[in-house]
Amino acid sequence: PKHFNIAEVCSRRWAAEPFSNMRTAIVEHHGAFEYADHSYATLQKAANKLSHLLMARGVKRGDRVAIVLPQRFETAVAYMAIFQMGAVAMPLSMLFGAEALEFRLNDSGAVAAIADEHTIANVIAVRMNCPALHTTVGVGFAEYTADVGYAKGIEPMSEQFDCVRTLAEDAAILIYTSGTTGPPKGALIPHRALIGNLSG
């Protein structure tokens, strides 16, 4: 299709269905016998709030937003929030040292980074050398060291957000190569790249 958005097909359309607050979107495991169910309604409301927060911090359509998080509920929220804004999600490995992180943040011109207690220290360590990076959002215990805490930041934001009408060809994700055979190179992936995977 001419217009396509990953957030629309992965979250928004399901959240708009009746009883979406009872349909599980994500099961988050905290240990062998500890887990939390998150519904599509919960996922979408959190994504809408985060989109508003990022916009309030100056993130615009087409901007790169680094996601330096492990697999947790807020990671899914971050992707959906960024996609529906028309911004570009840039996943960065938690294992990256300061040099690898700095290169990718600078090369991409990332304006914001979302990190948790495991990754915020490295983001802050390189921030002075990344002039485009004007906002850090802290998840979990990183709330106390980032520019804005995720939980406190999204709390007053609206639960409603109008998805940007993106073209299927618009960039959605920026992934960097490992850099083992030269400098890391960014690969821009459009929204349409998801279509081939939907049947799976």
Side-chain angles (χ1 to χ4, degrees):
K2 183 177 181 180
H3 294 93
F4 187 80
N5 187 282
I6 293 175
E8 183 64 45
V9 297
C10 287
S11 178
R12 294 180 65 89
R13 64 172 173 171
W14 304 112
E17 293 285 321
F19 307 109
S20 64
N21 62 325
M22 298 172 62
R23 296 186 65 181
T24 300
I26 295 171
V27 179
E28 184 179 24
H29 291 268
H30 300 288
F33 303 104
E34 295 181 50
Y35 67 92
D37 285 345
H38 300 281
S39 69
Y40 281 101
T42 302
L43 172 61
Q44 191 57 52
K45 285 177 183 176
N48 291 346
K49 284 173 168 279
L50 182 56
S51 291
H52 282 297
L53 175 62
L54 292 173
M55 287 181 66
R57 302 291 301 193
V59 179
K60 303 182 298 296
R61 182 173 182 165
D63 282 346
R64 275 65 164 153
V65 179
I67 300 175
V68 201
L69 294 171
Q71 295 296 335
R72 56 187 298 165
F73 176 64
E74 293 85 359
T75 307
V77 172
Y79 277 106
M80 296 304 109
I82 294 165
F83 291 149
Q84 70 180 4
M85 293 173 64
V88 179
M90 183 174 68
L92 295 175
S93 173
M94 293 177 59
L95 302 178
F96 281 152
E99 185 178 344
L101 201 59
E102 181 180 327
F103 177 87
R104 289 160 176 82
L105 289 170
N106 269 327
D107 187 68
S108 66
V111 300
I114 305 172
D116 73 353
E117 60 270 18
H118 302 292
T119 58
I120 191 66
N122 278 341
V123 173
I124 291 174
V126 303
R127 185 176 187 178
M128 292 294 290
N129 300 323
C130 303
L133 186 65
H134 59 68
T135 296
T136 57
V137 179
V139 176
F141 290 114
E143 293 221 2
Y144 305 105
T145 48
D147 295 329
V148 58
Y150 168 85
K152 288 183 180 177
I154 69 170
E155 186 177 1
M157 298 296 168
S158 171
E159 293 182 351
Q160 305 299 320
F161 186 85
D162 293 327
C163 185
V164 169
R165 192 166 162 79
T166 53
L167 295 170
E169 295 295 328
D170 285 347
I173 306 170
L174 176 59
I175 297 179
Y176 275 83
T177 60
S178 63
T180 52
T181 57
K185 298 173 183 64
L188 270 176
I189 300 172
H191 283 273
R192 66 174 171 78
L194 180 72
I195 296 173
N197 296 299
L198 285 178
S199 59

